[in-house]
Structure formats: C-alpha cells, structure tokens
Amino acid sequence: MNPPLDSRGLAARFETVFGAGPDGVWRAPGRVNLIGEHTDYNEGFVLPFAIDRAARVAVRVRPDSTVRMLSTFGNQGLTTAETGSLARASARGWTKYPLGVIWALQQLGLQVPGVDLLLDSEVPRGAGLSSSHAIECAVISALNGLMEAGLSVQDMVLATQRAENDFVGAPTGIMDQSASLRATAGHAVFLDCRDQSVRLVPFDADAAGLVLLVIDTRVSHSHADGGYTARRESCELAAELLGVAALRDVGLDDLEEATGLLDAETFRRLRHVVTENQRVLQTVELLDTVGPAAIGPLLDASHASMRDDFEISCPELDLAVDTARSAGAIGARMTGGGFGGSAIALTPAGSAQQVRSAVERAFARAGYAAPEIFSVSPAAGAMRLC
C-alpha cells in the first residue's frame, strides 16, 4: 500500500482527477475492538476504540445526479453511478460502501446530490479493523456536512448500519461505526448496543508502560461470508428457544438451565455471548479502577471463548495469540468478526520487539505468509480536515 496522502495531497490529487478542487476533505478511522466480540447484534456490550489509521475522502457536490468515484489504491479505475438508480447488484469492490451510504440516506427521505469522490485509506483491508466502516463513516460525515442534513451521530450510526445490512449485505451490528464516529483520543468507547448509550473509558497503554500490537495475519475475511451469518443465526435461534428478546437478557446463572433447552452447538454460541458480555463489564471496571495492566487475563479468556465456543478463530490467529503470550504479552486475543483478520497483544513496551520477532519466526516456521505487525493507540473519531 502506498503511503497515505495528507489532506492537501488528497485535495491536489482530486483536482488532477476531476478538474477542480473538492468542497472538503473528511477522515474516519478504523477500529480495534479491545473486547466484546459478536455481542453487538445480541444487544450486548462492546469496548472498541478508534485507531490512528483512517480512510479519507475528498468530495465535491455536482449539479446533477451523477456519482463519480476513484480510489488511490487498486486498479478499479473511475466508477460512475446515478443516485436515482442505485442497486446493490451493480456495486463493485469498495464502491459499494459509499453507494450504500447514499442509498441509506435516500431511505431516510433525503435528496442526495451527485458527487465526485476520491478515496485514500490506510486501514488494512480484510484485517478485521473495519476498513469498510471507515469508508462509510467518512462518506456519511462528508455528505451530512455538504448537504447540511443535520444528522446526529446516532442517525449516522443507524444509516451506515442500514447500508451494511441492506445494501452491502453484511449482517453487522453498530459497533464499528459507533467507534469510528464517537471516539476520542486516549479512550475506548463503552457501548451498550441495546440503547446505544456510550461512555468513554480511559485507555492509555503508553502511560502504563504498555503497547497494543496488532498482528494482521493476512488471512482475509468478509462479514458478508457465510460464517458470520451462521453465527448470527445461531444466536437468534438461541434467543427464540429461550424466550428472550436478545441474548443480552441471558445471565451467567441462566446457563445451566439453557443446557437442557439447546443443542450442544447452539449452547456454545450462547455461552460465548453471555460470558463475553461479562468480560466487557469486568474490563471496563478494571480500566476505571486499576488500569490497562490488569486486563490481560480477560483478553486471554475472550480468545479461548471465541476459539472454542464460538469457533471463529483460525490456525494463524491461534498461533499469533499463543506466540505473543509466550514471548511476553500480558494478554492477547483475536479481534473482529473472525475467520481471519487480526489479533491484538497487550505487551510491555520493553518486550514489544521480542513479541514481534517471535510471531514473525513462528509464522515463517509454519509456512504462513508474513504477518504485518504494528502498534495502535486510541485516536479521535470522524472529522472534517479541510
């Protein structure tokens, strides 16, 4: 991937491509989910934070209904669409994300103008860091501003979810866009996915002498693939059989009774969601009272639950997590929807290079593609740059 363009560089590139400067440049970050996986669509709790890698869009409103889009990566070339005839089947590659946002805004009754749009993103694709939502959040922030639509953050969260669910075809919850739109630097976003209430929780790894490493296994995943959908369907089945609105309503004390009502696989899916919700609450309490150095065992337990009960890990993720722990990480887990993507490792700063080297050697011995390993810090959410 080429180095990311700053706002001036992106504006200059836009003018070269489209013949005039943009009306503005917006950014929206990717995210790392510290803990709370597959709990969002079960109306549970999640604790993501925005990362210091983002998607940026330069946008100019057109006098007609034409949408022209180009990205600085890949070789897709200039894509053209009409706002009056958007269809999921006609969208290709990354363009389905901005087109999905336009479509979702239209479903709200808004008259969306044609636009010229240039995208530049440094969020790794397929790594479980929400590269798609970064694009969507940058686009909806731009359109909200340019149209003077007056959408609240909650409105934009729900509109981008609708774009993902009904246009892109990915049955995701509200976690990713909530992190991208609501985050502030130095904090994680404690989100109650039932009522969308948010509390910002301090997460300053640096001050605790720690580094949060992302280990991108290079095993690509997609939320639109069958594994994610199957897990969501299992959760919906469990809720139906237990007579609850969502698995958020099942507590630890209810698990014993549930064993007699569910088949073994559905019970394991339930157990992950119930225990993961509790791990989120415990992590928040520890961050409020003790600090990041205390949460390692909860990260470890989360990975074991995703590996064994929800069964969404893969050999590369397990190797990354196990090796990072052995090399000095105080806690590690896969992050994101699963079936590939990235792991995170909370590591003493003095051991970071040791962990990096150990994971790289382990992947080489196993014959896996070399992982990309980098550190991230909690960053600010979506904003206009110029």
Side-chain angles (χ1 to χ4, degrees):
M1 181 180 293
N2 294 326
L5 297 172
D6 61 17
S7 57
R8 289 184 179 181
L10 189 60
R13 180 78 64 84
F14 182 99
E15 185 169 0
T16 299
V17 172
F18 294 110
D23 293 329
V25 176
W26 285 258
R27 72 177 293 280
R31 67 95 189 95
V32 157
N33 191 21
L34 189 60
I35 197 165
E37 225 65 77
H38 288 264
T39 49
D40 58 344
Y41 56 78
N42 289 294
E43 299 185 9
F45 305 104
V46 293
L47 190 64
F49 62 85
I51 61 174
D52 43 0
R53 293 193 175 204
R56 284 164 292 276
V57 291
V59 183
R60 182 183 63 197
V61 173
R62 294 177 55 85
D64 53 26
S65 61
T66 299
V67 179
R68 296 192 298 173
M69 298 169 289
L70 184 70
S71 76
T72 61
F73 56 83
N75 55 3
Q76 187 165 316
L78 186 69
T79 297
T80 302
E82 294 294 324
T83 60
S85 58
L86 297 180
R88 174 184 171 187
S90 64
R92 298 183 299 116
W94 68 272
T95 66
K96 60 181 175 283
Y97 303 117
L99 292 178
V101 168
I102 293 172
W103 175 88
L105 293 176
Q106 291 174 334
Q107 305 312 301
L108 293 176
L110 296 173
Q111 299 297 315
V112 184
V115 294
D116 290 333
L117 182 150
L118 178 63
L119 167 70
D120 183 57
S121 180
E122 59 184 325
V123 185
R125 287 165 284 164
L129 303 179
S130 200
S131 58
S132 61
H133 283 96
I135 296 171
E136 290 166 346
C137 291
V139 171
I140 201 168
S141 297
L143 293 176
N144 187 39
L146 292 173
M147 295 168 54
E148 298 182 349
L151 298 176
S152 67
V153 173
Q154 182 175 355
D155 293 334
M156 291 191 287
V157 165
L158 294 177
T160 50
Q161 183 191 24
R162 188 170 188 179
E164 277 282 321
N165 292 175
D166 299 335
F167 192 88
V168 176
T172 58
I174 62 171
M175 175 181 68
D176 296 348
Q177 55 271 74
S178 294
S180 188
L181 290 165
R182 296 180 183 271
T184 63
H187 294 78
V189 179
F190 176 38
L191 171 65
D192 182 332
C193 295
R194 170 159 284 174
D195 63 13
Q196 291 194 57
S197 61
V198 163
R199 181 163 73 84
L200 298 174
V201 178
F203 179 64
D204 190 347
D206 291 344
L210 300 169
V211 173
L212 190 74
L213 295 176
V214 172
I215 305 167
D216 179 1
T217 66
R218 303 295 183 93
V219 178
S220 185
H221 77 146
S222 170
H223 280 164
D225 288 345
Y228 187 98
T229 301
R231 297 308 183 277
R232 183 161 187 164
E233 290 173 348
S234 289
C235 292
E236 291 168 350
L237 174 62
E240 179 182 353
L241 293 175
L242 295 175
V244 295
L247 296 189
R248 155 74 171 273
D249 299 312
V250 182
L252 292 172
D253 294 340
D254 300 319
L255 288 178
E256 183 175 355
E257 181 181 356
T259 60
L261 300 173
L262 306 176
D263 65 85
E265 180 180 280
T266 305
F267 175 75
R268 291 196 304 273
R269 308 300 187 242
L270 166 71
R271 183 167 58 190
H272 164 72
V273 173
V274 172
T275 57
E276 187 79 347
N277 274 324
Q278 290 302 309
R279 284 186 287 270
V280 174
L281 297 177
Q282 291 174 318
T283 299
V284 169
E285 181 180 1
L286 288 172
L287 290 175
D288 281 336
T289 58
V290 183
I295 69 172
L298 292 168
L299 302 183
D300 293 344
S302 176
H303 184 78
S305 182
M306 290 185 286
R307 181 192 63 211
D308 301 334
D309 278 353
F310 225 60
E311 299 179 279
I312 55 173
S313 191
C314 66
E316 291 87 349
L317 285 168
D318 291 340
L319 181 62
V321 166
D322 293 343
T323 304
R325 288 178 187 144
S326 298
I330 66 171
R333 63 184 287 272
M334 59 150 284
T335 186
F339 311 103
S342 297
I344 57 174
L346 189 59
T347 305
S351 301
Q353 186 54 51
Q354 177 178 310
V355 169
R356 290 174 187 260
S357 299
V359 172
E360 289 168 350
R361 288 195 302 269
F363 270 56
R365 286 195 300 268
Y368 298 151
E372 182 182 1
I373 305 174
F374 52 92
S375 62
V376 292
S377 299
M383 66 179 70
R384 183 170 186 165
L385 297 176
C386 65

